[in-house]
Amino acid sequence: MNWCCCMIIIPLLLFQSGYSPPLTATAAATTTTTGIPRACTPPHHHTYHFCNTSLSIDERIHDLIDRLTLDEKPFLLVARESPKGNISRLGIPEYDWGGNCMHGVQSMCYSSDHCPTSFPNPNTLGSTFNTTLWHRMGQVIGLELRALWLQNVGEYHPSSGLPHIGLDCWSPNVQIQRDPRWGRNMESPSEDPLVCGEYGTQHTLGLQQNPSSKNLQAVATLKHFAVNSLEGPWFANGTYGGSITRHSVNALVSLFDLHSSYLKPFEMTVKNGEAAGIMCSYNRINGVPSCANEILLKQILRENWNFDGYVSSDSGAIDDIQLRHAYTNNWNSTIRVALQAGCDIESASWGQKGAWRTGGKYIDYIPHAVRSGVLDEALVNEALYHALRIRFRLGLFDNDAIDNDDPLWNIPISVIESPSHVELAMEATAQGFVLLKNEANLLPLDTYYEITTSEKDSRSSSLTKQTTSSSSKNFTIAMIGPHIYSRHIMLGNYLGEMCYNDTTNACVTNFVEGMELHTSQEANVQIIHTMGCSVHGNSTEDFEKALHMAQTADVVVYIGGLDLSIEGEERDRADIRLPLIQRQLLRELIPSKKLLVVLLHGGIVGLDDDNDDDFSLVNNISTLITVGYPGKYASTALASALWGTTSRAWGRLAVTWYPTNVVHDQLNMMNFDMTQPPGRTYRYFDGKSIFPFGYGLNPLTHFEILNAQVINYQNNVESTTTKLSCKLTIQIQNMGTRKGDDVILVYFSPSNITVPSPSARLRKQLFGFRRLSDVEPNQVRTISIPFRPFELYNTLGQPIVVPGLYQIIISNGNNDIMRTVQIHKENKSVWIEPTKASVGSNTLQNETLSSVF
């Protein structure tokens, strides 16, 4: 890949020819800002030591803390305090801690041409398996956040009165997708800890770092720490409809599961991504609320992982300690246990009139608790140190930086929703689509179009060659489904303003418009459309019209699935099946034999159980695509992917599609044990999946793994170096006639070794992945994936190396090969020795695994 340098942001990885970076600092020099509240402005900049940039940050922070009165201190420890969270006598402005940057900046637009660039939701992004893309997205979001902040743009809570967005992002969400019913699966990239950890790491590095400045560009706040994967409402026995919610649930979890599954993504992002923020969750873990949990926030996070950032509560989580968990019985004790545990910032409960409120338990009770002897003021100062250090690292107390060409103070408005940023978002969208079935060879549509029109008329045309059709026969596409006209549902949640001063999202292209625009140059392509049904409900009024269109069309594109009335924050699902009205319509459409189904959703959608043993939607739909919640540019990206006009489309499943009856009957939502039969996620599930983790097709071409070789190095297990002990070299060839992308996933699986329980239940574990971009026909690519001796976990949650034989599985989503390695351990040394089958050619020594649904 080529690298391009930019004065504002770190070097950009080019994704395709024609990609252009944002403007440089030279162009940014003319940037003007209005009304940004800054500390250390005249006359304060010559008065206080905390404004003196020649001193260390530590000296400056302690000087500031020493100048604060006890009554002033809590105002710097509560989020959503704008405009009162300020200390005017010291020239310290308020600061908004509450921005979100889940898949774009959650702010208002600056102007009609400059709204924050919106990317797909994380469950779509996870399916790309593209670490470079995740990093680049973080760069874009961080840069746009700074630019919007400089222009005094507010959070996208129009009724709340928030004056401006801050530089602190309450994202990314790196929790694993534990259960398909969880309402917030759309916010997480995967069920796999490694994928979530890599996603968090790259998102965070891109968002926070800017080599052109010594300061943080923005702040990532990882959420929700930890074991937070239930919204409610549930009964204690795991049935739906009870009173247990995210605010009251007690997650009972073993040390094994805690460290091997739930904490692993956070650990990776803190250690490798240098995340500067953590958000503690609402729930209890083994009886202790997360935001009052010293083991979690101090021992694990700060002592074991060397975290040096700040910790915020989730909004209202401090209230939950007392009101819902009954862990304390008075507010003085509540704020004491929170601060003692290490919760630095209280995100106060949401106000009655919107997102902004003034007040919080820290403000209301810290001074009294200190004066009454319940709370040590040193704990308050410790929290202040962590919170203020973030603001100092952002450069918000460095007034001289305004005049010294620091690019973070001179970002042009033009970077916001720039053409290159939109192009990246559109490419991310297409890469996140996953093709699960293409049995009728409907895709790519350009090929099917040629075949169909040739059969109708000997004259043919090709969309990909951009020629005008000479065929006299029409090619008709019927677009049906509850989402075809929507401008909202594909966007998912945690959104910035999509269209300037327009809550109807009129600037968002719906799926019908996207298909019409894509085929507008083809006179004989006709698009007909009707919804057929709503997302849920019982009206069949439009069935007849939809069925008539399907009968007359050459292809039926059905776009349906779920929406935020079915799943979302504070809303789990009891039933993972596609809503009944949609299942009924699809049963009527299937006889057309030319049905292409596109599903929008967070958690997986059950298509295999319709209370009819003789019929299953998943077996009868010939072409099936999952797109998650694909974002603002979904319609354009989907049309390009379906027609084959982009070579960059198609990803792989980042979650397991379980049978519906397994989820409903065997997976208890209240059970956080990952290994209890039948097991959760591909790592432990011992049943037969509908579609397995990592599965996905590419309709443009097919790839073959030619060879894989393990190269080993000896490694000292007590070494403090980060040198990797082995690498796996893999050769992949594009065997088709069109260029395209491929995804390589590599797993290890213990084989004939004594494994400590519950690690003995591990089926396989991902240890590396790579997306290959724009591989030309017949081209061979060679990639190397480094790795250390494989780690398992003991019952105490400690990683251990167990000697013995391991299988390495190399997969591209629909065909796999295997290699075998021997791990040796003697005294303090561990080394990996490839077996004979791991160093030779592919012809005799590899066992080929077939992919089954």
Side-chain angles (χ1 to χ4, degrees):
M1 290 187 177
N2 296 322
W3 291 84
C4 177
C5 293
C6 177
M7 291 296 291
I8 295 178
I9 60 177
I10 67 178
L12 309 176
L13 279 172
L14 301 185
F15 284 87
Q16 59 184 30
S17 60
Y19 187 87
S20 57
L23 299 177
T24 65
T26 302
T30 59
T31 300
T32 59
T33 60
T34 56
I36 293 301
R38 294 167 177 153
C40 298
T41 55
H44 306 289
H45 62 306
H46 291 312
T47 306
Y48 304 122
H49 289 309
F50 65 79
C51 293
N52 184 352
T53 56
S54 67
L55 299 177
S56 70
I57 285 183
D58 277 3
E59 290 175 302
R60 297 169 67 195
I61 295 171
H62 288 300
D63 176 75
L64 174 53
I65 292 173
D66 288 343
R67 296 175 188 274
L68 297 170
T69 69
L70 177 60
D71 291 310
E72 289 172 333
K73 289 177 180 180
F75 282 93
L76 300 178
L77 297 177
V78 177
R80 293 196 163 89
E81 273 304 298
S82 304
K84 281 196 171 183
N86 63 305
I87 311 297
S88 298
R89 69 177 183 86
L90 298 177
I92 302 171
E94 49 76 27
Y95 179 73
D96 178 19
W97 290 90
N100 269 288
C101 312
M102 188 77 68
H103 51 108
V105 181
Q106 191 180 352
S107 76
M108 307 288 285
C109 298
Y110 171 76
S111 67
S112 59
D113 296 325
H114 300 295
C115 294
T117 302
S118 181
F119 288 83
N121 283 244
N123 70 323
T124 303
L125 290 164
S127 294
T128 69
F129 285 94
N130 190 335
T131 55
T132 302
L133 172 66
W134 301 337
H135 186 98
R136 180 68 187 102
M137 180 188 71
Q139 291 178 312
V140 167
I141 294 172
L143 186 68
E144 291 195 357
L145 176 62
R146 269 279 180 170
L148 289 159
W149 177 79
L150 285 170
Q151 300 306 321
N152 207 23
V153 173
E155 276 196 68
Y156 189 44
H157 295 296
S159 63
S160 69
L162 282 170
H164 69 95
I165 197 165
L167 295 175
D168 182 271
C169 294
W170 284 351
S171 49
N173 189 333
V174 297
Q175 300 168 111
I176 62 169
Q177 295 188 35
R178 175 181 67 95
D179 191 289
R181 293 163 291 191
W182 183 36
R184 301 182 76 169
N185 281 314
M186 70 190 76
E187 298 179 28
S188 168
S190 178
E191 68 182 29
D192 180 74
L194 176 71
V195 176
C196 290
E198 286 288 354
Y199 175 84
T201 295
Q202 297 305 324
H203 185 137
T204 299
L205 289 172
L207 183 84
Q208 292 189 166
Q209 294 186 357
N210 190 314
S212 297
S213 173
K214 63 181 176 64
N215 297 315
L216 288 174
Q217 178 171 254
V219 175
T221 307
L222 312 181
K223 62 184 188 183
H224 305 87
F225 195 59
V227 200
N228 177 254
S229 55
L230 179 147
E231 298 299 301
W234 297 90
F235 287 101
N237 65 2
T239 57
Y240 191 78
S243 61
I244 298 174
T245 71
R246 62 180 180 165
H247 295 283
S248 58
V249 65
N250 181 22
L252 299 176
V253 59
S254 68
L255 290 174
F256 170 82
D257 284 326
L258 183 66
H259 290 277
S260 64
S261 292
Y262 295 110
L263 296 187
K264 193 64 178 178
F266 292 93
E267 180 182 9
M268 289 178 62
T269 310
V270 167
K271 290 182 175 179
N272 303 331
E274 300 179 7
I278 288 281
M279 175 180 283
C280 52
S281 54
Y282 293 117
N283 55 286
R284 280 174 285 164
I285 300 175
N286 299 331
V288 183
S290 295
C291 293
N293 196 317
E294 288 191 59
I295 293 176
L296 189 69
L297 301 183
K298 282 196 171 178
Q299 180 181 314
I300 294 175
L301 182 62
R302 293 200 184 273
E303 295 174 15
N304 295 354
W305 298 352
N306 295 317
F307 175 72
D308 65 353
Y310 86 104
V311 174
S312 171
S313 77
D314 205 340
S315 298
I318 300 301
D319 290 0
D320 287 348
I321 293 172
Q322 179 174 325
L323 299 180
R324 294 170 179 87
H325 297 303
Y327 190 71
T328 55
N329 59 12
N330 63 79
W331 292 116
N332 282 350
S333 295
T334 299
I335 57 109
R336 176 182 58 79
V337 297
L339 286 166
Q340 187 170 290
C343 183
D344 306 308
I345 295 290
E346 177 194 6
S347 177
S349 298
W350 289 64
Q352 296 299 314
K353 296 182 179 180
W356 166 60
R357 62 161 286 163
T358 296
K361 297 304 182 292
Y362 278 15
I363 290 175
D364 295 341
Y365 292 97
I366 280 178
H368 178 266
V370 171
R371 291 181 178 119
S372 63
V374 174
L375 177 65
D376 188 341
E377 191 172 358
L379 291 174
V380 181
N381 292 341
E382 182 181 355
L384 278 168
Y385 174 83
H386 295 146
L388 288 170
R389 189 167 184 270
I390 293 298
R391 295 169 68 170
F392 274 86
R393 292 179 67 193
L394 286 164
L396 304 187
F397 287 80
D398 299 349
N399 185 57
D400 59 347
I402 300 172
D403 302 316
N404 70 1
D405 296 324
D406 186 332
L408 294 183
W409 291 96
N410 297 283
I411 299 174
I413 298 164
S414 58
V415 305
I416 305 168
E417 204 178 18
S418 67
S420 61
H421 290 185
V422 172
E423 181 182 358
L424 182 69
M426 200 170 301
E427 188 168 300
T429 307
Q431 289 185 26
F433 300 153
V434 182
L435 178 61
L436 300 175
K437 298 182 71 176
N438 192 29
E439 293 173 357
N441 293 318
L442 295 182
L443 298 181
L445 283 180
D446 61 355
T447 301
Y448 185 72
Y449 165 84
E450 290 181 1
I451 294 171
T452 304
T453 53
S454 294
E455 290 174 352
K456 292 180 177 182
D457 192 311
S458 58
R459 293 169 295 171
S460 64
S461 64
S462 170
L463 282 178
T464 53
K465 295 180 180 179
Q466 299 181 352
T467 59
T468 302
S469 173
S470 59
S471 175
S472 61
K473 303 295 184 181
N474 282 338
F475 182 81
T476 302
I477 300 174
M479 298 194 69
I480 298 170
H483 293 339
I484 61 171
Y485 301 132
S486 177
R487 305 183 194 280
H488 302 270
I489 294 168
M490 73 275 279
L491 302 176
N493 70 353
Y494 282 101
L495 307 171
E497 187 177 21
M498 294 293 108
C499 310
Y500 185 61
N501 288 339
D502 177 14
T503 58
T504 68
N505 290 340
C507 71
V508 178
T509 304
N510 68 39
F511 287 106
V512 170
E513 293 167 343
M515 186 67 75
E516 288 175 337
L517 287 169
H518 194 85
T519 60
S520 60
Q521 300 303 310
E522 289 295 326
N524 68 329
V525 175
Q526 181 183 13
I527 311 297
I528 57 178
H529 44 87
T530 190
M531 284 175 58
C533 70
S534 58
V535 176
H536 48 76
N538 53 24
S539 175
T540 60
E541 182 180 353
D542 202 27
F543 271 31
E544 183 177 352
K545 183 177 180 182
L547 294 175
H548 176 72
M549 286 186 177
Q551 291 165 2
T552 60
D554 295 290
V555 173
V556 179
V557 177
Y558 178 92
I559 302 179
L562 311 180
D563 65 13
L564 298 190
S565 70
I566 298 173
E567 59 178 351
E569 189 165 1
E570 296 192 288
R571 185 179 295 109
D572 290 331
R573 288 185 292 164
D575 188 342
I576 69 166
R577 290 178 297 177
L578 189 70
L580 177 60
I581 190 67
Q582 295 189 60
R583 302 200 309 269
Q584 291 172 335
L585 178 57
L586 284 173
R587 286 177 70 116
E588 299 294 328
L589 293 173
I590 280 173
S592 69
K593 303 296 182 184
K594 48 201 173 185
L595 176 64
L596 188 161
V597 175
V598 180
L599 295 177
L600 280 69
H601 57 94
I604 64 171
V605 178
L607 299 171
D608 58 311
D609 182 2
D610 206 22
N611 297 320
D612 185 346
D613 292 337
D614 298 323
F615 183 88
S616 170
L617 285 174
V618 75
N619 290 335
N620 286 275
I621 294 171
S622 63
T623 309
L624 179 61
I625 300 170
T626 169
V627 298
Y629 286 105
K632 183 177 182 178
Y633 308 105
S635 62
T636 303
L638 182 64
S640 296
L642 295 183
W643 280 99
T645 50
T646 175
S647 61
R648 300 303 316 281
W650 311 112
R652 303 292 185 268
L653 287 179
V655 295
T656 301
W657 279 49
Y658 306 97
T660 299
N661 69 311
V662 168
V663 176
H664 290 173
D665 302 334
Q666 300 180 48
L667 296 180
N668 187 326
M669 190 66 173
M670 290 293 294
N671 189 335
F672 291 81
D673 189 327
M674 299 296 292
T675 67
Q676 180 173 311
R680 292 182 180 274
T681 77
Y682 78 92
R683 298 159 66 216
Y684 302 108
F685 180 55
D686 58 12
K688 186 177 182 180
S689 59
I690 302 300
F691 298 106
F693 175 94
Y695 177 75
L697 305 171
N698 188 330
L700 300 179
T701 186
H702 66 280
F703 292 81
E704 182 176 327
I705 303 171
L706 301 180
N707 195 17
Q709 182 176 359
V710 177
I711 301 174
N712 66 306
Y713 306 95
Q714 187 167 332
N715 185 73
N716 188 309
V717 292
E718 294 189 352
S719 173
T720 59
T721 67
T722 57
K723 182 178 180 180
L724 298 169
S725 59
C726 290
K727 69 177 179 179
L728 178 66
T729 302
I730 307 166
Q731 287 186 321
I732 307 99
Q733 184 172 13
N734 182 349
M735 308 301 289
T737 59
R738 299 172 71 160
K739 70 178 179 179
D741 284 13
D742 199 20
V743 174
I744 298 297
L745 308 168
V746 291
Y747 310 82
F748 73 83
S749 178
S751 177
N752 296 322
I753 64 175
T754 301
V755 181
S757 182
S759 277
R761 298 177 187 140
L762 180 70
R763 297 178 67 249
K764 62 179 180 180
Q765 171 66 62
L766 189 72
F767 69 86
F769 57 90
R770 192 73 53 81
R771 187 180 182 100
L772 284 70
S773 303
D774 272 341
V775 184
E776 297 287 346
N778 299 315
Q779 184 182 6
V780 176
R781 291 270 184 94
T782 301
I783 62 172
S784 293
I785 296 179
F787 64 97
R788 295 179 66 88
F790 306 130
E791 289 183 338
L792 302 174
Y793 285 79
N794 62 22
T795 55
L796 298 178
Q798 298 166 330
I800 56 174
V801 176
V802 180
L805 284 174
Y806 290 78
Q807 298 289 340
I808 293 179
I809 304 164
I810 303 104
S811 173
N812 70 351
N814 50 79
N815 64 81
D816 307 339
I817 66 169
M818 289 174 59
R819 293 289 187 245
T820 305
V821 296
Q822 177 87 36
I823 293 184
H824 299 276
K825 186 175 181 180
E826 183 176 336
N827 296 325
K828 296 181 180 181
S829 293
V830 171
W831 66 97
I832 297 179
E833 179 183 7
T835 65
K836 183 178 180 181
S838 295
V839 295
S841 68
N842 231 16
T843 54
L844 297 175
Q845 296 144 340
N846 284 333
E847 178 184 353
T848 301
L849 305 179
S850 60
S851 178
V852 294
F853 294 160

